[in-house]
Amino acid sequence: QVQLVESGGGLVQAGGSLRLSCAASGRTFSINSMGWFRQAPGKQRGLVAEITTGGDTRYADSVKGRFTISRDTAKNTAYLQMNSLKPEDTAVYYCHAIDGSLMNYWGKGTLVTVSS
């Protein structure tokens, strides 16, 4: 089993920045990729960014050029640096991981609110 705990959410003005962290514990050696999803009120949860063990990254079109995902394997932590935030980025952000057996793990989420 893998446990994920997010931190770093909060309230920020449009144009500002936040950095989210996701600390993994448990069978962290089994993790292949880690990523971030988000869910705004009344909308489905969708991928924001993900990073593989090899360092390959993938981003949603809406955040390309503004968000950067990174991973510190020694600390079993993934980060999401969010710059030039927009009100439409307001959502609950969830950390996600997949292990070698394609088991999915989720954190409880952290709220990001961007005011206009």
Side-chain angles (χ1 to χ4, degrees):
Q1 292 291 325
V2 173
Q3 295 79 42
L4 304 172
V5 178
E6 305 99 334
S7 61
L11 174 64
V12 64
Q13 288 188 331
S17 299
L18 280 176
R19 189 176 83 152
L20 305 183
S21 299
C22 173
S25 61
R27 295 172 58 88
T28 57
F29 62 87
S30 67
I31 295 175
N32 282 346
S33 68
M34 295 184 71
W36 293 91
F37 284 69
R38 67 185 180 186
Q39 186 168 18
K43 296 188 177 181
Q44 289 188 331
R45 189 177 300 187
L47 174 71
V48 177
E50 68 175 0
I51 184 168
T52 68
T53 301
D56 294 327
T57 57
R58 181 163 68 110
Y59 295 91
D61 288 343
S62 59
V63 306
K64 284 180 181 177
R66 300 188 298 122
F67 290 11
T68 302
I69 189 170
S70 60
R71 182 175 172 182
D72 186 332
T73 54
K75 295 182 178 180
N76 296 313
T77 301
Y79 304 95
L80 185 69
Q81 178 66 44
M82 305 185 293
N83 298 329
S84 302
L85 282 161
K86 304 175 182 179
E88 50 263 44
D89 294 317
T90 295
V92 177
Y93 284 70
Y94 296 91
C95 183
H96 173 256
I98 298 177
D99 70 13
S101 300
L102 301 182
M103 182 76 74
N104 287 265
Y105 301 94
W106 294 93
K108 293 183 178 180
T110 185
L111 177 63
V112 172
T113 304
V114 184
S115 63
S116 57

